Amino acid sequence: MVDGAVGGEKVHLVHYPMRGGELFNLVAVFHSSRYEEGWDSYGDPAELHERFAKTCAPVRTLLEKIESWRMWVLCDRPPIRNWSRGRLTLLGDAAHPMLQYLAQGACMAIEDAVCLANKVEALRGDFAAAFQAYQEARYLRTGRVQIMARVYGEFYHASGVARELRNMMLGGRTPEQAFESMQWLYGEDEGPTGYGSALKGG
Ligand SMILES: Cc1cc2nc3c(=O)[nH]c(=O)nc-3n(C[C@H](O)[C@H](O)[C@H](O)COP(=O)(O)OP(=O)(O)OC[C@H]3O[C@@H](n4cnc5c(N)ncnc54)[C@H](O)[C@@H]3O)c2cc1C
């Protein structure tokens, strides 16, 4: 298998090819007591192997192939509805930081940019009004992604009763039902949290 994801209690691993197969990205997520802010830290391989010690052999073999790991501490914040003041506004992580479990942080930043440009154009350079309109169009959708990313993270890493419930609720779904459950994120939904309405100008 070239790309995919595997999960367990407090851990999961995602792997996929990049640059047409030139690079192979491994993203190992686990709960840690270490906290180091910044974008240029390296993880401790000993801790990584300890956290993944109970996973199946193919996962451990894959992890052994990497000697040095970049590390990011994952952060989010509950959604807010106001991130503009006068002629100042925010977009992307500054406005709505989210966990990566739906792989949407950069996607939301790009959607923000399209929406913002549409509003500025529609309101003919009245930046304060455009920033309010942009924020109004975006906060429910980005808030939903922030909240749902937390839910998916809890489900992926669940143990005990939560794990049983996850397996019961999600295990029996057909691929069609799984896609259907993501319609609000990827579909043409025109509602306040849908893809369609979030990008509209005017
Ligand atoms: C492990 C991991 C996996 C992820 N996977 C995905 C994924 O699969 N899909 C997805 O869509 N998103 C993913 N994301 C999220 C994505 O990386 C972020 O949401 C996205 O980079 C946010 O873009 P941004 O422009 O808002 O902020 P940033 O990318 O953080 O850009 C902000 C920039 O501002 C600079 N800066 C900060 N302070 C100053 C200053 N005072 N002066 C000048 N410059 C400054 C920073 O150096 C940085 O370059 C992932 C994140 C992580 C950590």
Side-chain angles (χ1 to χ4, degrees), residues 144 152 173 176-185:
R144 186 170 179 180
Y152 273 77
R173 289 192 310 180
E176 290 73 27
Q177 286 169 328
F179 283 126
E180 185 63 30
S181 73
M182 284 288 159
Q183 274 301 306
W184 68 272
L185 185 55

Side-chain angles (χ1 to χ4, degrees), residues 39 72 74 91-93 100 103-107:
W39 288 89
W72 291 273
L74 301 172
L91 60 73
D93 280 4
Q100 85 296 356
Q104 286 297 312
C107 300

